[in-house]
Amino acid sequence: MWEVRQVLIVAGSMYVDPEDRDSYLTGCLEVVTAARATPGCLDFTISGDLVEPGRINVYERWETEEQLLAFRGSGPTEEQQVAIRGARVYRYVISAVETP
């Protein structure tokens, strides 16, 4: 059955030096915790990739654009921004959701 509502998904990958990945992820604990406590956040995870040692996978799901943008205002720390060597993260607007 289709549940008609818009959902925003932010997903993709970021790249850091492989030797820095574990410390980068540890530094994200506070961000993940804060995001999950934010109104409108349905899911938020940042994790190391199992195949590529410098890759970090990003997945977020939000109820509304306004809630996403309100959280985004905080953004990553300067130290986290400097560690990112590249990123391919995109926002997807989903118009309907159904159970499998």
Side-chain angles (χ1 to χ4, degrees), residues 25-35 71:
L25 290 170
T26 299
C28 292
L29 178 61
E30 191 174 310
V31 172
V32 173
T33 302
F71 176 75

Side-chain angles (χ1 to χ4, degrees), residues 39-62:
C41 180
L42 301 171
D43 196 8
F44 194 104
T45 187
I46 300 172
S47 61
D49 189 77
L50 294 175
V51 177
E52 295 179 57
R55 179 177 166 158
I56 296 171
N57 297 314
V58 176
Y59 179 80
E60 306 174 30
R61 197 163 41 102
W62 295 87

Side-chain angles (χ1 to χ4, degrees), residues 27-98:
C28 292
L29 178 61
E30 191 174 310
V31 172
V32 173
T33 302
R36 290 182 181 181
T38 300
C41 180
L42 301 171
D43 196 8
F44 194 104
T45 187
I46 300 172
S47 61
D49 189 77
L50 294 175
V51 177
E52 295 179 57
R55 179 177 166 158
I56 296 171
N57 297 314
V58 176
Y59 179 80
E60 306 174 30
R61 197 163 41 102
W62 295 87
E63 289 180 352
T64 69
E65 171 109 13
E66 292 78 20
Q67 292 163 321
L68 167 65
L69 294 176
F71 176 75
R72 260 312 156 250
S74 56
T77 66
E78 184 176 333
E79 184 178 309
Q80 287 173 322
Q81 287 178 335
V82 169
I84 298 171
R85 301 291 178 231
R88 292 185 304 219
V89 179
Y90 302 97
R91 184 179 72 170
Y92 302 87
V93 179
I94 309 302
S95 61
V97 178
E98 69 177 335

